[in-house]
Amino acid sequence: MNILDQFKLTGKKAFITGGARGIGKSIAMAFAQAGADVAIVDLDLDVAQQTAKELAQFSVNTLAVKTDVTKPDDVNAMMTTILNAFGSVDIVFNNAGICINVNAEEMTYEQWRKVIDINLNGVFLVAQAAGKAMIKQQRGSIINTASMSGHIVNEPQPQCAYNASKAAVIMLTKSLAAEWAPHHVRVNSLSPGYIGTEMTLKATQWIPLWEKRTPMGRMGKPDELQGIVLYLASDVSSYTTGSDFVVDGGFTCW
Ligand code: NAD
């Protein structure tokens, strides 16, 4: 098959957690442009519905599902809703996440648990629910959003729980990839550097420092992650599993 055709997702079924806005929304646009039916899964149903409407311009089926990825019942209900609507699931961009910037010695246990619950436990619950369906189908690609913070310690902002959660996502990815490879289910992770979204753009005091500290001298845009995720979602990456892909403008070189 022509190499460019291998990037196409025509007829594939995808869902994206944290898909209402930011990086998740950009990846949703890429999947829909490539021909996949896309479900937007998010805590924020209103914005998820708006995003799903925007995807309709690509003439694919879309769906918005309100889900808290930290709640097993929510995640299982979300999976049932998507399977009922689409019939199968080929691609998951497992991406919902938050960051809390507090010094380690002042962080409350609730703050620590909230970050780990969404960024790690939520990623596991969603991967497990999708993995069960994909094992039955004997095919699928899961892409977990980790971070360069799973490789390095950011500065100047303190975020020990976030960094620990993202390092764990990278290792969870490898573990699932090894377990599920015999079932033809691939699992990889994406580790972005600083990307301009609601998560980062509000930290106006730190942006100049982050840019100076980045060899390319700027933050990335969500759309600059579309290519690598499309690669991981599509058949082009058929021999790629258990890998982490850093896209950070060179940040982790220094
Ligand atoms: P964002 O805040 O713009 O979007 C996050 C989305 O996740 C929101 O739509 C939010 O409603 C949703 N969400 C939050 N908690 C949820 C929950 N419990 N259940 C379901 N949905 C929930 O952030 P973003 O920058 O687009 O980040 C997306 C992912 O990328 C996160 O995992 C983040 O850690 C990671 N990341 C971001 C950057 C960056 O610089 N922006 C860098 C590295 C990694």
Side-chain angles (χ1 to χ4, degrees):
M1 196 198 284
N2 177 298
I3 182 69
L4 291 181
D5 286 342
Q6 288 183 49
F7 279 94
K8 288 187 183 156
L9 303 180
T10 314
K12 301 228 180 192
K13 318 293 178 192
F15 77 83
I16 297 169
T17 69
R21 67 177 199 217
I23 293 170
K25 179 178 178 180
S26 175
I27 298 307
M29 302 296 270
F31 285 174
Q33 275 183 65
D37 293 334
V38 179
I40 302 293
V41 175
D42 207 285
L43 259 187
D44 189 334
L45 184 61
D46 287 346
V47 186
Q49 282 171 334
Q50 281 168 31
T51 299
K53 254 190 216 156
E54 284 180 49
L55 298 179
Q57 65 181 293
F58 301 112
S59 307
V60 295
N61 296 314
T62 66
L63 188 67
V65 190
K66 181 177 166 68
T67 307
D68 181 342
V69 297
T70 67
K71 301 210 163 94
D73 290 348
D74 266 31
V75 171
N76 290 331
M78 172 270 291
M79 207 54 243
T80 303
T81 303
I82 291 172
L83 288 174
N84 285 342
F86 289 169
S88 61
V89 59
D90 301 291
I91 302 158
V92 176
F93 188 54
N94 197 358
N95 163 76
I98 61 158
C99 186
I100 298 179
N101 297 118
V102 187
N103 292 330
E105 70 276 18
E106 283 152 13
M107 179 170 270
T108 65
Y109 187 45
E110 284 65 38
Q111 288 172 322
W112 168 270
R113 281 214 306 220
K114 187 169 180 188
V115 174
I116 299 295
D117 217 17
I118 298 174
N119 293 10
L120 176 59
N121 300 340
V123 165
F124 171 71
L125 290 172
V126 170
Q128 186 187 47
K132 279 181 193 164
M134 288 175 169
I135 287 168
K136 268 194 205 143
Q137 300 166 177
Q138 291 288 295
R139 67 166 197 282
S141 173
I142 299 173
I143 302 120
N144 297 323
T145 305
S147 171
M148 69 173 178
S149 310
H151 297 269
I152 52 92
V153 175
N154 306 68
E155 46 110 19
Q157 75 278 20
Q159 47 182 55
C160 68
Y162 184 85
N163 298 349
S165 73
K166 295 301 188 178
V169 167
I170 293 166
M171 200 57 198
L172 172 64
T173 299
K174 291 181 189 298
S175 307
L176 299 179
E179 282 196 38
W180 294 346
H183 301 290
H184 312 287
V185 177
R186 298 184 297 105
V187 190
N188 292 285
S189 57
L190 170 70
S191 281
Y194 290 113
I195 306 294
T197 67
E198 283 193 35
M199 179 180 273
T200 48
L201 292 176
K202 59 183 184 230
T204 48
Q205 73 281 25
W206 293 327
I207 289 174
L209 298 168
W210 295 341
E211 289 181 334
K212 192 160 173 255
R213 174 73 182 71
T214 304
M216 288 186 77
R218 64 175 178 86
M219 294 173 72
K221 302 183 197 89
D223 289 1
E224 292 180 285
L225 302 172
Q226 288 177 331
I228 187 69
V229 181
L230 195 54
Y231 164 76
L232 292 171
S234 69
D235 295 340
V236 185
S237 59
S238 53
Y239 195 55
T240 306
T241 200
S243 292
D244 180 63
F245 293 80
V246 178
V247 181
D248 66 353
F251 190 96
T252 50
C253 296
W254 283 340

